[in-house]
Amino acid sequence: MTIKDTPEEWEIRASETPFAGKKTSVRADDVVMPNGAVVRRDYQVHPGSVAVVALDDQDRVLVIRQYRHPVRQRLWEIPAGLLDIPGENPLHAAQRELYEEAHVKAEDWRVLTDVYTTPGGSDEAVRIFLARDLSEADGQRFEVEDEEADMELARVPVDDLVRGVLAGDLHNTCLVVGVLSLVAARSTEGLDTLRPAEAPWPARPFEA
């Protein structure tokens, strides 16, 4: 048996959007179940995101500490951001986020993993990249605002992040998935066998 997620779409009898925000919205679909029953499913419609595990030559990951209002916590995260433009190339978006949030550039980019953050309640898809061969970006720093104006930056050893995840001290989805995927990739086929940075992404098709 092949263990692989596959596309499938059940019949939708009706659909409405009871809320539309600046970047996301809420959709309510009446979905036909296998037994013929029609059930309403509410979920967040999300443009998608990218995130970056930026690994330096001392085996440290660049992390950001930022306030997240929905959970009322200041979380350690990896650089990440929305795919603001439909069809936007996710690699270009990830490079932009690494520059804007950390003023860092990378020479080696690969796809680490793709994930749906909460598929029972949102269609958000995230592509997590591995970035290596880091250096300071050229030019002036990007001007941040709102929560980002209060961010802290740090470079933390991979092993320390793994311990934090398993101890229940670190909770951000992209950090947890990204760091554990990094460790898994290194312990199996190796980082150089990861997918290329512009590998197809059916969840959020893009132009190369």
Side-chain angles (χ1 to χ4, degrees), residues 47 83-89 205-206:
L83 290 167
D84 294 309
I85 304 168
E88 182 177 14
N89 186 303
F206 64 93

Side-chain angles (χ1 to χ4, degrees), residues 32-44:
V32 180
M33 298 290 110
N35 65 359
V38 178
V39 178
R40 172 151 290 202
R41 291 289 178 257
D42 303 325
Y43 58 99
Q44 180 192 38

Side-chain angles (χ1 to χ4, degrees), residues 4-203:
K4 183 177 180 179
D5 297 335
T6 55
E8 186 169 336
E9 186 168 353
W10 292 359
E11 180 185 353
I12 299 172
R13 290 281 174 84
S15 182
E16 61 180 0
T17 304
F19 169 79
K22 183 178 179 181
K23 298 291 185 181
T24 67
S25 61
V26 173
R27 183 173 298 161
D29 290 342
D30 292 338
V31 185
V32 180
M33 298 290 110
N35 65 359
V38 178
V39 178
R40 172 151 290 202
R41 291 289 178 257
D42 303 325
Y43 58 99
Q44 180 192 38
V45 178
H46 194 284
S49 307
V50 292
V52 185
V53 174
L55 183 68
D56 71 13
D57 57 7
Q58 298 181 51
D59 207 40
R60 301 176 302 177
V61 173
L62 193 155
V63 290
I64 295 165
R65 192 168 182 238
Q66 184 173 348
Y67 176 68
R68 293 299 187 183
H69 184 70
V71 295
R72 309 301 198 271
Q73 290 198 28
R74 190 184 292 270
L75 301 179
W76 285 105
E77 308 178 350
I78 55 177
L82 297 175
L83 290 167
D84 294 309
I85 304 168
E88 182 177 14
N89 186 303
L91 173 60
H92 299 166
Q95 291 169 331
R96 179 188 69 234
E97 293 300 329
L98 186 60
Y99 165 74
E100 291 182 356
E101 296 190 351
H103 200 65
V104 165
K105 63 181 180 180
E107 298 303 321
D108 187 289
W109 289 83
R110 297 171 191 272
V111 175
L112 189 53
T113 190
D114 298 323
V115 63
Y116 291 114
T117 56
T118 49
S122 173
D123 70 350
E124 181 183 11
V126 181
R127 168 155 282 188
I128 304 177
F129 289 90
L130 172 65
R132 295 182 291 176
D133 296 338
L134 308 182
S135 62
E136 192 80 3
D138 300 324
Q140 293 184 335
R141 287 186 173 273
F142 182 77
E143 190 171 330
V144 296
E145 59 185 11
D146 302 327
E147 290 92 343
E148 292 183 349
D150 193 43
M151 289 192 309
E152 301 172 46
L153 292 175
R155 295 193 183 206
V156 179
V158 172
D159 288 346
D160 290 351
L161 292 175
V162 171
R163 280 191 287 269
V165 168
L166 299 180
D169 295 331
L170 300 172
H171 306 88
N172 175 264
T173 301
C174 292
L175 184 149
V176 171
V177 172
V179 168
L180 296 186
S181 295
L182 169 67
V183 173
R186 290 205 297 203
S187 67
T188 53
E189 301 300 321
L191 299 183
D192 290 335
T193 65
L194 290 169
R195 286 173 290 162
E198 303 239 24
W201 189 19

